Amino acid sequence: QPWAQPIGPIPVAPGVTLQASLEDLQGRFNLNNLVASDGVTINTQQLEAFRRLLVLVGLRPQWADDWVNWIDKSPTPAIPDAPASSTYLELDPPYHTPNLPVTSASELLALPGFGRARFERIAPYVTALPVNTPLNTCTAPAQVLDAYLGQTQFSADPKQFAQDRTAASGGCFPTPTELKAAIQNTLHNTPQDTNTSGGVPRSNAQPQFGQASQFFRLTSVVRADGTEFVLYSLLYLDASDLVRPILRSDTPN
């Protein structure tokens, strides 16, 4: 679609060029969806999907458990063997867990031992958006779709996936309905359990899928006299088609 086509570089003044591009962030896995809006209830379907996504990019699934403890309200681990909030206070330098939804996926770097190399593997597939923001199946990469599906159906053949998406009727592949039908038989249905892990509530609520988005990232690149300036802006498209900047940063995640 036109919004997805990059612009530039175009001259805006003598010796100055501007280049810009938009990315649909709802095509990425939302790290804040692992814990419900109450800050306590773990969404087990989202947790399972994130574990599988980590495995798909070559990381151990236990990082998902550590992440839950980073954003949930409880100071004690909601999942066995995940680091407690007190663990971070013993580091040098010490720091606190936010125990809140985050605004940047780069907070994964705060997990003890996670490191830059691991973050670069997962970074293209994750984002930090408001809790319960749906995944846009039309723009989600194959690895994110497979994380929800529970098998490597889409990422096994990237060329075929690209062809299917290009040829899709209505411009969406897979549609939310198609993905929901597929995961119905592959995701195991974990019953709600309020007695596991010290009474932490867990929900098997189905992930939300859609084929429209409200959150986009604008990447603006200005080059002037041999110097490059890059600005990343999180944009929100509301119901009246008004676009508002939510967050600006000089780093992509």
Side-chain angles (χ1 to χ4, degrees):
Q1 293 180 354
W3 68 264
Q5 307 305 313
I7 297 174
I10 57 175
V12 293
V16 181
T17 62
L18 170 66
Q19 187 172 355
S21 60
L22 278 173
E23 179 189 355
D24 177 10
L25 288 184
Q26 284 183 235
R28 296 184 176 205
F29 183 90
N30 182 12
L31 293 170
N32 288 323
N33 279 350
L34 271 70
V35 178
S37 56
D38 63 6
V40 177
T41 305
I42 298 173
N43 188 319
T44 54
Q45 299 286 31
Q46 296 281 6
L47 176 58
E48 297 262 345
F50 189 38
R51 285 170 173 165
R52 284 191 288 266
L53 180 58
L54 287 162
V55 171
L56 284 170
V57 300
L59 303 179
R60 63 180 180 89
Q62 287 76 17
W63 290 114
D65 304 349
D66 296 357
W67 180 254
V68 167
N69 186 52
W70 183 256
I71 63 172
D72 77 337
K73 283 184 177 180
S74 175
T76 57
I79 300 175
D81 300 325
S85 297
S86 58
T87 302
Y88 297 88
L89 297 177
E90 297 170 358
L91 300 176
D92 185 19
Y95 53 93
H96 288 278
T97 56
N99 299 120
L100 291 167
V102 301
T103 59
S104 173
S106 64
E107 288 207 29
L108 284 165
L109 291 165
L111 300 180
F114 195 78
R116 173 62 61 177
R118 292 184 180 88
F119 180 69
E120 289 178 352
R121 288 191 182 188
I122 195 70
Y125 308 105
V126 295
T127 187
L129 298 176
V131 178
N132 296 327
T133 298
L135 176 77
N136 188 332
T137 66
C138 310
T139 57
Q143 291 83 349
V144 174
L145 295 171
D146 281 348
Y148 284 103
L149 188 60
Q151 57 183 345
T152 53
Q153 175 175 321
F154 299 113
S155 59
D157 190 343
K159 184 177 180 180
Q160 183 61 50
F161 177 73
Q163 291 175 349
D164 290 341
R165 179 158 280 179
T166 300
S169 175
C172 185
F173 176 82
T175 65
T177 301
E178 290 170 338
L179 186 60
K180 285 179 181 178
I183 68 174
Q184 204 65 32
N185 297 322
T186 56
L187 280 178
H188 80 270
N189 188 15
T190 305
Q192 185 168 343
D193 182 5
T194 58
N195 297 314
T196 305
S197 304
V200 175
R202 299 187 177 217
S203 169
N204 63 351
Q206 291 294 324
Q208 298 180 39
F209 302 120
Q211 55 188 95
S213 295
Q214 293 179 290
F215 293 95
F216 300 84
R217 184 175 69 187
L218 170 65
T219 301
S220 308
V221 183
V222 175
R223 295 181 179 89
D225 299 325
T227 302
E228 182 176 278
F229 305 89
V230 184
L231 180 66
Y232 302 92
S233 303
L234 174 61
L235 305 181
Y236 176 71
L237 176 67
D238 67 19
S240 63
D241 289 336
L242 179 67
V243 177
R244 293 186 289 113
I246 303 297
L247 185 68
R248 298 194 191 277
S249 174
D250 56 4
T251 58
N253 293 294

